[in-house]
Amino acid sequence: MTLQDLGFHKALEHYQKEQGLTAFNVGRIIKEHRDRYTITSETGDFDAELIGNLRYGANSRYDLPAVGDWVAFSDYDNNKALIYAIYPRNSIIERQTVGKTGQVQIIATNIDFCLIVQAVDRDFNMNRLERYLTICNASGIPPVIILNKIDLITQDALKTMSNKIKERVKTVPLITVNHHSTGYNSLNAFIKKGKTYCLLGSSGVGKSTILNALAEASKMKVNTISSSINKGRHTTTHRELIVLDRGGILIDTPGMREIGITDTSEGLEITFESILKYAQHCKFKNCSHTQESGCAVIKAMNMGKIDESAFKNFQKMEREKQHFKSNTLERKKKDKALGKLIKQEQKRRKDSKF
């Protein structure tokens, strides 16, 4: 396997020379386990950790490696390694950290395409689909929608579902597949050598099954659906990067039941472009699109030009975005105040010595 098979390109090579990193090995993070990482490279896989400067000098989550990152490292005995630098990222896909207000969780980096998987028998949900599209659009990563398990519903039901997607999403490619390999020719044709694809979706939608079918091997463990709670079991427990023999790199991710919105202004604008186009013609610039006279959005909804469910979903995500922004600002203020107190205490202790 070469670095090019892993997605290494000229811009990264230029950065390597410019920053004087040619003395180090080059690899890509394929697994992340708290403060340890698995790196894959031309010479094999390595169990790695950060050097002190990287670990203790990190100011935020963005300063630490994530699955998909390129890193400069040196190896030593028994396939151990130390990470000395992280290469620049061309994309980051992220969501709000579950249960932690105003904080970000990096799902993966250096992604070329996101494959959003929904199972037609139990998981299909347009509002959730629009959330996935929003985090993709916010990251500047082209999304592809995959409807899985189409053998479990009728052709009429599938047609209705597909039409619903096309009405609300319109421009995003849609591929339908099932576990009998129907539709995989279209999906295989989409996978290109050296490009990285991130699988996104809830538990039980079949992401690992799709990955195994594309890899033509049992790369990831596959579980059945829980009959008691009618939800997918968490087959994938961590993010993992896998290189396909035929070319292409896939990142499988754990099922996400919550897709919290961060500061995704551009993502919302792209996902709900049709709504915002009408909003430009509202009588008032600060129109809330709820009851104002002269509201172009309400008028468009009454005329059937805007899906009411899509608009409600947009409003909900807009509120989440504003809440995330305010919480982030508040946390920064608290961190700044704490830093100031620490400096004052350090100065007081220093002065008390004299």
Side-chain angles (χ1 to χ4, degrees), residues 193-324:
K193 184 176 181 179
K195 297 295 183 181
T196 302
Y197 305 79
C198 184
L199 287 158
L200 299 173
S202 306
S203 299
V205 298
K207 299 190 303 296
S208 297
T209 301
I210 289 172
L211 189 151
N212 288 339
L214 292 172
E216 297 181 342
S218 296
K219 297 280 188 182
M220 303 297 286
K221 182 181 177 183
V222 177
N223 280 348
T224 57
I225 299 295
S226 170
S227 58
S228 60
I229 60 174
N230 201 36
K231 290 181 180 178
R233 295 170 177 165
H234 287 277
T235 306
T236 303
T237 57
H238 56 270
R239 290 173 290 284
E240 182 170 354
L241 182 149
I242 294 169
V243 182
L244 304 180
D245 291 339
R246 69 178 69 184
I249 304 111
L250 291 180
I251 295 179
D252 195 14
T253 61
M256 292 186 284
R257 292 199 177 106
E258 291 185 36
I259 312 105
I261 299 301
T262 59
D263 185 8
T264 54
S265 299
E266 188 175 346
L268 285 171
E269 288 174 6
I270 296 171
T271 305
F272 298 99
E273 182 182 10
S274 59
I275 293 175
L276 292 171
K277 277 185 178 179
Y278 285 108
Q280 292 175 2
H281 301 288
C282 289
K283 183 177 180 181
F284 305 104
K285 287 187 178 180
N286 61 344
C287 183
S288 66
H289 318 302
T290 53
Q291 57 185 9
E292 293 91 342
S293 62
C295 175
V297 172
I298 293 175
K299 182 180 178 181
M301 274 196 291
N302 292 337
M303 295 174 66
K305 294 180 179 180
I306 292 177
D307 187 287
E308 187 175 353
S309 297
F311 177 66
K312 288 180 178 179
N313 198 31
F314 164 72
Q315 285 187 311
K316 186 177 181 181
M317 283 193 275
E318 178 67 28
R319 288 194 297 270
E320 284 182 34
K321 182 196 77 174
Q322 296 299 335
H323 186 61
F324 177 85

Side-chain angles (χ1 to χ4, degrees), residues 11 15 19 36 47 59 71 93 108 128 140 150 158 175-176 182 192 202 206 239 246 276 287 298 301 310 312 327 351:
Y15 180 84
Q19 297 298 314
R36 300 195 70 83
D47 178 29
N59 293 316
V71 294
I93 187 161
R128 186 186 298 115
I150 60 172
L158 177 61
I175 298 174
T176 59
T182 300
K192 304 298 181 185
S202 306
R239 290 173 290 284
R246 69 178 69 184
L276 292 171
C287 183
I298 293 175
M301 274 196 291
K312 288 180 178 179
N327 284 330
D351 292 342

Side-chain angles (χ1 to χ4, degrees), residues 146 150 175-178 180-189 214:
I146 300 176
I150 60 172
I175 298 174
T176 59
V177 298
N178 68 28
H180 298 301
S181 298
T182 300
Y184 277 98
N185 287 337
S186 298
L187 191 52
N188 273 314
L214 292 172

